């Protein structure tokens, strides 16, 4: 073989080796890459692949129901339908936008812009009417789908709007109890996965998957819907009559701290909260502070009784209506000569209150006011509560202490004032205000009950009785609160007419906070009611402006609680004795028998049952049961045995048996 042929053969061999090595290296690289992708990049690539064929949709949870104390619905979640699109799967966005524009009520241009979006998922419209949803479903547009979502609805419109607040599109509580109790009310959200085939068509999920939303806990409030309505109506009429800027009403049970009504103006509709100004959302009864004026004399009198530095027959010179102190002149509306402590409260003498405070000294008065809770939050289960302002006594000069004695230079919230007066009505024991009565799970089983909580004793029972007599004289002939009387029922209360502060200018001479706070019946208090009117026009005296509204609201509240204005003291005494007799001997409770009677359509015997059992019976049997108090049932209407009335039952509970 020639040298040339040998070289050529050698070159072929080298070339074959190079090609083999090259292919070997490429094969090895491909194998290595395959191993890398299959082993080390598997999770990442699977996620990418899954993202191409699947889409995660987050569906908001279904919030629990908010009931009033009589199990009437105040806030519910309704099933609605929302429209979404996979833009990449929509073949003709312009044509689809034209078809969707009318049922969705949106412009064709806006819809086309959404349907050509680069995202893989867009909401076209949230929570539409069922009729429109059906129209869209009939269009059968590829890439456009429907999904069920809950929507928060308030069946009574603006009723108790500041208490309830509202929830947003994502079912998150934004204001009021919806915000404060969001963790309880908010159910578990759901993540739904939808799959697409190679052509981008959606593989439909089952209806059960789309609608199986978990529901949050339900809440039963202490609020009474009918008392709330009466409070809002009377407040609105009073604000309109006197062309006032705003107003608040609170109705509370002094024995339990249960808030029966809490109203505020201006108001808003939580179903369309976006149409109202943000400053209308806040619950002024707990968030706003004001100078209480003459209603504060109640606590000056309480401090005087507790200090033993002022006797009941001691008289104070009221200087014929004008007294110069520390370079400032203090005035009374009338020229009084000498007044006792009771008369100072009855006639609302500023000079007399200032001299009573002077007789005690700043530290004694300050200690008494802090015991009544001023300067501290009440601890109510509502968001945004303010603590008020009560400065330390070391900074009080004589004129400043005089101002505090008639409610200037100190700031309180409406709820603080109600809690403090309720302590007087409750024999000197202060209760913590609360709005949530009980929490139920999605099956209406009781999760938690909020029993009344005593905060502390603020004065002795004897001192409280003396102070009640003083406050009752305020509504008697010659007092400042005669317009707050309710038929023959004894009313104890106090008027307030406080000058408003003008920043940088001192106290206004034509703008006032007018109020009346009281409790009724004075000999057996069932409710404490505050009416506060901000800047009434032309008339400003608290007894004139707020007194009639107090009477109107309290009359409705008492009727709801089974107390009527025409009842004589003897009738009320007999009713109390009958109730005491009923509570003295525990009734034998039989829940099974009660449930069996209800199942047969008969009125069950509820005596001795706990609040938890009452709620369970109501939930299981669909019976409306109106409850008062706490503990065990000691009274019911109608009596057991007859046909179960469609209007439901009324029961009264008492803690005599050790609580529920």
């Amino acid at each position: 073989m020639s040298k040339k042929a040998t070289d050529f053969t050698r070159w072929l061999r080298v070339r074959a080796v190079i090609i083999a090595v090259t292919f070997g290296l490429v094969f090895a690289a491909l194998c290595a890459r395959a191993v890398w992708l299959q082993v080390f990049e598997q999770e990442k690539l699977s996620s990418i692949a899954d993202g191409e064929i699947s889409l995660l949709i987050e569906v908001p949870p279904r919030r629990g129901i908010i009931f009033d104390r009589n199990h009437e619905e105040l806030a519910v979640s309704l099933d609605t339908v929302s429209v979404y699109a996979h833009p990449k799967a929509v073949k003709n966005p312009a044509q689809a936008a034209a078809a969707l524009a009318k049922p969705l009520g949106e412009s064709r241009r806006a819809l086309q812009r959404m349907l050509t979006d680069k995202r893989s998922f867009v909401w076209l419209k949230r929570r539409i009417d069922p009729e429109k949803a059906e129209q869209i479903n009939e269009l059968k547009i590829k890439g456009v789908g429907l999904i069920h979502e809950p929507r928060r609805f308030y069946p009574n419109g603006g009723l108790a709007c500041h208490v309830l607040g509202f929830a947003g599109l994502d079912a998150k509580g934004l204001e009021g109890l919806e915000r404060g109790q969001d963790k309880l009310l908010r159910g578990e959200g759901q993540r739904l996965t939808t799959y697409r085939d190679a052509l981008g068509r959606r593989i439909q999920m089952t209806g059960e998957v789309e609608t199986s939303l978990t529901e949050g806990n339900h809440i039963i409030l202490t609020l009474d819907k009918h008392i709330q309505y009466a409070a809002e109506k009377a407040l609105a009429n009073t604000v309109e009559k006197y062309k006032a800027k705003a107003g608040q009403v609170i109705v509370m049970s002094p024995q339990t701290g249960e808030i029966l009504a809490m109203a505020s103006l201006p108001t808003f509709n939580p179903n369309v909260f976006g149409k109202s100004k943000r400053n209308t959302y806040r619950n002024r009864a707990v968030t706003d502070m004001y100078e209480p004026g003459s209603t504060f004399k109640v606590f000056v009198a309480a401090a005087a009784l507790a200090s033993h530095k002022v006797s009941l027959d001691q008289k104070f010179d009221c200087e014929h209506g004008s007294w110069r102190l520390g370079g400032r002149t203090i005035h009374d509306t009338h020229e009084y000569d000498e007044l006792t402590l009771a008369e100072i409260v009855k006639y609302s003498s500023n000079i007399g209150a200032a001299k009573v405070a002077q007789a005690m000294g700043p530290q004694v008065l300050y200690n008494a006011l802090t015991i009544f809770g001023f300067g501290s939050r009440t601890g109510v289960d509502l968001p945004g509560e303010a603590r008020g302002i009560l400065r330390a006594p070391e900074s009080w000069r004589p004129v400043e202490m005089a101002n505090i004695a008639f409610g200037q230079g100190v700031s309180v919230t409406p709820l603080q004032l109600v809690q403090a007066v309720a302590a007087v009505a409750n024999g000197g024991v202060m209760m913590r205000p609360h709005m949530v009565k009980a929490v139920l799970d999605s099956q209406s089983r009781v999760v938690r009950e909020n029993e009344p909580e005593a905060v502390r004793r603020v004065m002795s029972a004897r001192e409280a009785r003396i102070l009640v007599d003083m406050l009752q004289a305020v509504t008697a002939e010659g007092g400042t609160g005669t317009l707050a009387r309710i038929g023959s029922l004894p009313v104890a209360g106090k008027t307030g007419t406080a000058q408003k502060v003008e920043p940088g200018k001192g106290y206004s001479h034509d703008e006032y906070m007018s109020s009346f706070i009281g409790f009724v019946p004075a000999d057996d208090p069932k409710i404490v009611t505050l009416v506060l009117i901000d800047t009434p026009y032309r008339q400003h005296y608290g007894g004139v402006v707020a007194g009639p509204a107090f009477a109107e609201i309290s009359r409705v509240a008492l009727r709801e609680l089974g107390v009527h204005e025409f009842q004589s003291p003897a009738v009320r005494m007999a009713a109390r004795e009958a109730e005491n007799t009923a509570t003295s001997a525990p009734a034998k409770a039989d829940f099974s028998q009660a449930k069996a009677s209800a199942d047969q359509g008969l009125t069950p015997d509820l005596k001795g049952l706990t609040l938890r059992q009452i709620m369970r019976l109501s939930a299981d049997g669909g019976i409306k049961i109106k409850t008062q108090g706490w503990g065990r049932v000691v009274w019911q209407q109608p009596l057991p045995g007859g046909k179960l009335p469609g209007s439901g039952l009324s029961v009264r509970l008492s803690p005599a048996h050790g609580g529920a």
Side-chain angles (χ1 to χ4, degrees):
M1 184 178 291
S2 66
K3 184 176 184 299
K4 187 175 181 180
T6 302
D7 290 341
F8 179 74
T9 302
R10 185 181 298 113
W11 164 243
L12 288 177
R13 289 175 180 172
V14 171
R15 185 179 179 186
V17 170
I18 292 173
I19 293 173
V21 170
T22 301
F23 275 100
L25 291 174
V26 170
F27 182 74
L30 291 174
C31 289
R33 180 61 176 166
V35 171
W36 174 262
L37 294 176
Q38 291 291 328
V39 178
F40 299 102
E41 293 286 308
Q42 181 184 16
E43 186 175 343
K44 178 182 177 181
L45 294 174
S46 296
S47 177
I48 293 173
D50 192 52
E52 291 295 320
I53 65 170
S54 67
L55 182 69
L56 192 66
I57 303 174
E58 299 233 5
V59 182
R62 188 190 308 278
R63 296 177 70 82
I65 302 170
I66 300 179
F67 298 96
D68 86 334
R69 67 187 298 110
N70 302 316
H71 302 261
E72 295 195 41
E73 295 175 344
L74 300 177
V76 298
S77 290
L78 303 179
D79 285 331
T80 62
V81 180
S82 294
V83 187
Y84 68 91
H86 301 301
K88 294 179 182 178
V90 179
K91 287 186 175 181
N92 191 330
Q95 185 178 347
L100 292 169
K102 185 176 180 179
L104 288 182
E106 300 288 339
S107 72
R108 182 185 306 182
R109 181 178 299 177
L111 288 170
Q112 186 171 345
R113 188 167 54 250
M114 288 188 282
L115 292 173
T116 54
D117 197 289
K118 293 182 179 180
R119 291 174 295 173
S120 59
F121 175 88
V122 292
W123 287 111
L124 297 182
K125 193 157 187 177
R126 307 284 293 274
R127 300 176 172 88
I128 64 174
D129 295 334
E131 296 80 8
K132 292 182 179 179
E134 185 61 31
Q135 293 175 25
I136 292 169
N137 193 44
E138 290 175 356
L139 293 174
K140 299 187 183 303
I141 299 174
K142 180 183 174 182
V144 175
L146 305 174
I147 194 167
H148 291 275
E149 281 194 296
R151 177 174 70 88
R152 204 59 164 163
F153 178 67
Y154 304 89
N156 302 293
L159 187 76
C161 59
H162 298 99
V163 172
L164 299 174
F166 51 82
L169 276 177
D170 60 353
K172 183 178 181 181
L174 300 178
E175 292 288 346
L177 278 169
E178 294 277 29
R179 175 185 173 188
Q181 304 294 330
D182 189 59
K183 288 185 178 179
L184 286 174
L185 290 166
R186 188 178 172 86
E188 290 285 335
Q190 195 168 19
R191 293 185 173 187
L192 304 180
T193 303
T194 175
Y195 294 95
R196 299 189 295 263
D197 61 17
L199 298 177
R201 294 173 298 188
R202 178 185 176 217
I203 302 173
Q204 295 290 330
M205 295 175 291
T206 64
E208 289 74 22
V209 173
E210 292 192 351
T211 58
S212 60
L213 297 176
T214 57
E215 193 169 27
N217 291 316
H218 309 310
I219 289 180
I220 298 177
L221 304 185
T222 61
L223 200 97
D224 186 297
K225 174 181 171 181
H226 304 289
I227 300 176
Q228 179 72 25
Y229 175 77
E232 293 188 9
K233 181 181 177 183
L235 180 61
N237 290 340
T238 304
V239 167
E240 181 180 4
K241 179 179 180 179
Y242 293 103
K243 311 300 179 187
K245 291 182 179 179
Q248 289 88 52
V249 169
I250 299 175
V251 183
M252 192 173 89
S253 165
Q255 291 83 16
T256 65
E258 293 178 333
I259 299 172
L260 304 176
M262 180 177 280
S264 188
L265 279 176
T267 187
F268 67 95
N269 186 343
N271 289 311
V272 287
F273 61 85
K275 295 183 178 181
S276 300
K277 296 180 179 179
R278 291 188 62 85
N279 64 359
T280 64
Y281 296 163
R282 73 179 187 273
N283 187 353
R284 297 167 188 249
V286 296
T287 64
D288 286 17
M289 301 181 293
Y290 74 105
E291 293 194 352
S294 292
T295 54
F296 219 56
K297 292 169 185 171
V298 174
F299 312 106
V300 174
L305 292 172
S307 70
H308 303 293
K309 292 188 176 184
V310 176
S311 64
L312 292 177
D313 55 0
Q314 183 177 347
K315 292 195 173 184
F316 294 86
D317 184 2
C318 293
E319 310 287 346
H320 299 284
S322 181
W323 183 38
R324 191 77 177 169
L325 177 67
R328 183 187 167 198
T329 302
I330 299 174
H331 296 281
D332 278 339
T333 55
H334 295 85
E335 296 182 5
Y336 299 114
D337 187 4
E338 290 187 336
L339 298 176
T340 63
L341 179 62
E343 290 170 333
I344 289 169
V345 173
K346 178 177 181 177
Y347 301 124
S348 198
S349 168
N350 291 340
I351 296 172
K355 290 198 171 185
V356 171
Q358 195 177 60
M360 290 185 289
Q363 191 64 54
V364 172
L365 179 58
Y366 175 82
N367 290 344
L369 295 179
T370 55
I371 287 174
F372 272 97
F374 297 111
S376 303
R377 294 184 179 90
T378 67
V380 70
D381 46 5
L382 291 168
E385 184 183 17
R387 52 186 319 129
I389 300 173
L390 179 63
R391 293 180 293 107
E394 292 78 16
S395 63
W396 296 2
R397 293 175 298 174
V399 68
E400 289 173 326
M401 185 173 70
N403 288 344
I404 290 172
F406 50 83
Q408 290 185 348
V410 59
S411 294
V412 306
T413 67
L415 186 59
Q416 278 180 327
L417 191 69
V418 171
Q419 182 190 34
V421 171
V424 178
N426 195 34
V429 178
M430 176 177 284
M431 305 300 292
R432 191 175 307 284
H434 63 282
M435 182 65 76
V436 178
K437 190 178 183 75
V439 179
L440 313 178
D441 65 14
S442 58
Q443 303 301 314
S444 296
R445 294 172 299 210
V446 177
V447 175
R448 189 182 78 214
E449 296 173 47
N450 292 332
E451 294 185 354
E453 178 187 351
V455 179
R456 58 182 168 271
R457 177 168 283 281
V458 298
M459 63 193 308
S460 71
R462 176 182 173 276
E463 293 162 358
R465 284 194 298 271
I466 294 172
L467 187 53
V468 169
D469 290 339
M470 293 182 184
L471 297 177
Q472 193 172 335
V474 171
T475 61
E477 289 301 325
T480 58
T482 55
L483 294 179
R485 289 188 292 197
I486 305 171
S488 62
L489 293 178
V491 178
K494 186 69 187 77
T495 56
T497 308
Q499 293 171 284
K500 294 183 68 173
V501 177
E502 293 182 337
K505 298 180 181 179
Y507 287 96
S508 172
H509 294 290
D510 55 9
E511 292 193 347
Y512 296 84
M513 298 290 284
S514 304
S515 62
F516 186 91
I517 186 168
F519 47 90
V520 64
D523 56 354
D524 183 25
K526 300 297 184 185
I527 55 168
V528 175
T529 304
L530 167 68
V531 178
L532 176 64
I533 306 298
D534 184 353
T535 321
Y537 179 63
R538 290 185 178 172
Q539 181 59 264
H540 61 267
Y541 290 112
V544 177
V545 174
F550 166 89
E552 181 181 345
I553 296 164
S554 298
R555 186 178 287 112
V556 173
L558 290 173
R559 187 165 62 244
E560 286 295 312
L561 298 175
V563 180
H564 298 278
E565 59 187 276
F566 53 80
Q567 287 181 340
S568 66
V571 171
R572 292 198 306 278
M573 181 65 72
R576 281 204 304 275
E577 289 178 354
E579 184 174 322
N580 291 337
T581 301
T583 59
S584 62
K588 184 179 180 181
D590 191 335
F591 177 79
S592 299
Q593 183 60 46
K595 190 174 186 307
S597 297
D599 290 342
Q600 295 172 17
L602 301 176
T603 301
D605 187 355
L606 306 178
K607 293 284 185 67
L609 296 185
T610 65
L611 180 61
R612 183 185 296 267
Q613 291 172 320
I614 289 294
M615 290 178 179
R616 181 180 165 191
L617 187 66
S618 176
D620 292 348
I623 308 170
K624 289 185 177 180
I625 303 180
K626 182 176 180 179
T627 63
Q628 299 174 30
W630 62 286
R632 292 181 182 269
V633 177
V634 297
W635 173 90
Q636 74 174 76
Q637 183 67 33
L639 296 175
K643 184 179 179 181
L644 187 63
S647 58
L649 308 174
S650 296
V651 300
R652 186 176 299 126
L653 300 97
S654 168
H657 306 309

